[in-house]
Amino acid sequence: MPAIGAVRQIALSAGRNLDATLAFWRDVLGMSLHARFDPPGIAFIMAGDVRLLFTDGIPAGTVYLDISGLDDFHAEAKAAGVPFTAPPTLVHRDTEGQFGPAGESEWMAFLKDPAGNTIGLVERHPPQEPH
């Protein structure tokens, strides 16, 4: 039986306006275009080793991205008019170390891009770090 490896690619909706979606990911999230092919109107952004494929004709998706400085990012983006669907919120205290070092807490904030994709921004805090 073949061994399944890491996630290689995730498909996300580009909506009807690939340029607007890519501009959001560049200008708001600071992620740069890796490749674009016109036609057929697809684009890729790298999130670490994972390709994010943007194309029209597929439903909007949800992707979770690691971030450092979540509170600062949220404050700056919100001040710039970026709408969040949820502000930074404690979602889990990892007392057992199930998802990372034991004792860390996991915080998330959510926003949507112009194509309707949900972006979860995730930051883990050490046990003693005040939020």
Side-chain angles (χ1 to χ4, degrees):
M1 174 179 272
I4 302 296
V7 173
R8 172 76 53 194
Q9 181 170 294
I10 296 172
L12 296 170
S13 176
R16 300 270 179 218
N17 189 337
L18 181 58
D19 291 328
T21 298
L22 294 175
F24 178 90
W25 283 75
R26 178 194 64 225
D27 298 343
V28 174
L29 300 175
M31 299 178 78
S32 58
L33 179 67
H34 181 73
R36 183 172 178 165
F37 301 97
D38 287 314
I42 63 174
F44 298 89
I45 291 174
M46 296 301 294
D49 291 333
V50 178
R51 292 186 304 238
L52 302 179
L53 161 68
F54 293 88
T55 187
D56 190 17
I58 63 169
T62 300
V63 64
Y64 293 79
L65 303 170
D66 284 332
I67 186 171
S68 57
L70 178 58
D71 285 333
D72 291 340
F73 174 83
H74 176 258
E76 291 169 15
K78 190 173 177 186
V82 174
F84 281 77
T85 57
T89 304
L90 173 65
V91 296
H92 179 63
R93 289 197 191 279
D94 198 357
T95 56
E96 302 300 318
Q98 189 171 11
F99 298 105
E104 285 190 345
S105 58
E106 193 161 287
W107 293 76
M108 293 184 187
F110 293 89
L111 62 158
K112 289 189 180 278
D113 72 7
N117 296 301
T118 298
I119 302 154
L121 300 174
V122 182
E123 183 173 44
R124 289 185 59 98
H125 293 260
Q128 300 304 318
E129 183 177 343
H131 182 72

